[in-house]
Amino acid sequence: MKIDPGLKPLTPSPAAEARPAAQGRPDKLADSAAQTAVSLSPQAAQLQQLEAQLAAIPVIDRARVDSIKAAIAAGEYAINTENIADGLVNEVKDMLHAAR
């Protein structure tokens, strides 16, 4: 993917810069938020529970990382270059197919 260097950053319009900040507005929002009640459907509640369970699962399997580090340090870790090459070729094929 190539990033177009010709794009310029967005700048706020002069009218937006001259606009005064809304003072006292957060208090009004806090008051209305305190009075608002929200109820979730059973599916939404279940989704929240599943999201919390997924968030608790570590992204990195620390035991697996440690075993690979030990194998590398001992000179016992074998790299299958054919699998790596196949994976790279498949990724390029997917990118070329998606570009069509």
Side-chain angles (χ1 to χ4, degrees), residues 58 60-71:
I60 298 171
D61 183 354
R62 194 50 63 188
R64 176 94 169 117
V65 170
D66 291 340
S67 69
I68 291 172
K69 280 184 179 181

Side-chain angles (χ1 to χ4, degrees), residues 15-37:
E17 289 179 359
R19 190 175 7 181
Q23 294 179 354
R25 191 171 180 194
D27 294 336
K28 291 180 183 178
L29 290 176
D31 290 342
S32 66
Q35 297 173 1
T36 303

Side-chain angles (χ1 to χ4, degrees), residues 73-92:
E76 300 170 352
Y77 187 76
I79 298 173
N80 188 337
T81 55
E82 188 173 321
N83 284 349
I84 294 172
D86 288 342
L88 288 171
V89 169
N90 288 336
E91 286 293 321
V92 170

